[in-house]
Amino acid sequence: MNPPDDRPVPPRHVAVIMDGNGRWAKARGLPRTAGHRKGVESVRALVENARELGIEYLTIFSFSSENWRRPEEEVTDLMHLLRFYLRSEIASLHKGGVRLRVIGDRRRLAPDIIELIDGAEAKTRDNRRLTLVVALSYGSRQEIAEAARRLAEEAKAGALDPAAIDETMVTDRLYTAGIPDPDLIVRTSGEKRISNFLLWQSAYAEFVFVDTLWPDFTKRDLEAAIEEFHRRERRFGATAGPR
């Protein structure tokens, strides 16, 4: 999709590691739950901004497999927020032409949340303006291990020759099958690590780390990250030519 004006064509796929909700709340003397709730507002704005900028795929890291180890009260609140988002935002996403896709291990989610996810994905399946990918109960190492396990099972059953296994076969068995690899990954809050997020898919992504805490992340922050992306020379392992 072309950008709405004469700005450079945006990255096709932008992924965001949303970090800093707890620090945002602590700085204001508020409970961590207040930071998470404010963070949901930032997600809503991010989706709208991505649509306006012409981004085709937007992936957000909403809840990692490691997040299950957080205090029970915090996890419970996060699940309540997830239910609220799925119930309150899907109609708006659908109206705006946004397709929702959730990736991750759903086995640990409550049955009603799984039902809400299934319904939201089915309702928005044919939308094409933006694909919103929500990484939920997601861990990239687990994702890769599961893909390897599936390949091993297929090989054991005689469905494929182990010698024929290649990168495409692995890619096709990841949660993100059918989704292009991210071009740009943004992490907020000043942390400079990727925390088990899209390890396979980010092989040639550009990374931009910003100091802004997630609840304060604005359209201008997104635009600045895209501007930085356009200043990079993406070589994909090739040697740069003469300049």
Side-chain angles (χ1 to χ4, degrees), residues 161-175:
D161 178 0
I165 295 174
D166 57 15
E167 292 181 13
T168 299
M169 287 187 178
V170 176
T171 297
D172 289 344
R173 287 158 181 79
L174 298 175
Y175 297 142

Side-chain angles (χ1 to χ4, degrees), residues 9-147:
V9 175
R12 186 182 185 196
H13 183 175
V14 176
V16 181
I17 302 174
M18 307 177 297
D19 192 20
N21 289 346
R23 277 169 282 173
W24 183 92
K26 183 178 180 180
R28 290 160 177 77
L30 300 172
R32 289 179 62 88
T33 54
H36 295 316
R37 294 178 188 279
K38 180 65 175 175
V40 170
E41 296 179 18
S42 295
V43 170
R44 185 182 298 118
L46 177 68
V47 173
E48 180 59 29
N49 294 334
R51 284 197 316 154
E52 291 178 359
L53 293 171
I55 293 166
E56 294 183 39
Y57 292 84
L58 173 67
T59 297
I60 57 173
F61 200 7
S62 63
F63 190 87
S64 74
S65 54
E66 291 81 11
N67 287 158
W68 289 110
R69 297 198 290 265
R70 290 187 176 186
E72 183 178 354
E73 181 179 354
E74 183 176 356
V75 172
T76 298
D77 188 73
L78 287 167
M79 292 300 109
H80 285 326
L81 277 175
L82 174 61
R83 290 183 176 93
F84 172 79
Y85 186 87
L86 290 170
R87 289 170 177 151
S88 65
E89 300 296 320
I90 297 308
S92 176
L93 291 175
H94 184 51
K95 184 178 180 181
V98 178
R99 178 188 180 188
L100 178 69
R101 182 164 168 182
V102 177
I103 61 172
D105 182 4
R106 302 187 187 188
R107 292 170 295 186
R108 301 186 69 177
L109 298 172
D112 67 307
I113 291 179
I114 296 174
E115 185 177 352
L116 286 169
I117 291 171
D118 289 342
E121 289 182 324
K123 184 180 182 67
T124 62
R125 181 177 294 123
D126 296 327
N127 294 337
R128 293 293 180 266
R129 186 170 179 187
L130 169 71
T131 296
L132 173 62
V133 183
V134 178
L136 175 66
S137 189
Y138 174 87
S140 192
R141 286 182 173 181
Q142 177 183 353
E143 174 187 30
I144 295 169
E146 288 188 10

Side-chain angles (χ1 to χ4, degrees), residues 181-192:
D181 290 344
D183 303 290
L184 168 64
I185 297 180
V186 180
R187 180 167 186 151
T188 63
S189 86
E191 302 292 345
K192 294 179 174 61

